[in-house]
Amino acid sequence: RKCAAMVGAGEAMTVAIASRSAWRAEWAPRFARFSRVVVCLDPDAMTDARDIALSIRGAVVAQTPEKLDDMLATTGGDMDLINSYLSVARVA
């Protein structure tokens, strides 16, 4: 749902995992060619998001006030707001 929400909002380079526990560190090298990888999990999964970001070279964590798909729905797809959170993402 989150991936579909981001794609629907115009963010084509989006990858989703089934759940925060579904991430496998051996997938990290697949992201090495990207200049920026932003891990954006639900607000209650910050520890997992940090662990995932640390396993991907150069990855950062976006901290959003609510679930990304909920945020897109409640703001009517306000990608400027979403991008404001993504642009200040850092390893927490």
Side-chain angles (χ1 to χ4, degrees):
R1 190 173 115 168
K2 289 168 187 56
C3 189
M6 287 298 289
V7 170
E11 184 59 51
M13 296 299 292
T14 303
V15 175
I17 56 175
S19 69
R20 60 186 174 197
S21 62
W23 172 255
R24 300 291 173 255
E26 61 266 18
W27 298 339
R30 297 176 184 179
F31 295 89
R33 67 184 184 101
F34 297 103
S35 60
R36 182 167 164 86
V37 174
V38 179
V39 178
C40 187
L41 297 181
D42 293 348
D44 64 343
M46 283 298 107
T47 300
D48 298 297
R50 182 178 182 277
D51 291 344
I52 291 170
L54 290 173
S55 73
I56 301 171
R57 180 185 51 82
V60 293
V61 177
Q63 297 183 22
T64 57
E66 61 183 309
K67 294 178 180 183
L68 193 59
D69 49 335
D70 291 346
M71 215 167 130
L72 283 166
T74 59
T75 65
D78 186 347
M79 278 307 293
D80 288 336
L81 178 62
I82 300 298
N83 284 324
S84 72
Y85 286 100
L86 301 181
S87 68
V88 296
R90 59 183 170 74
V91 176

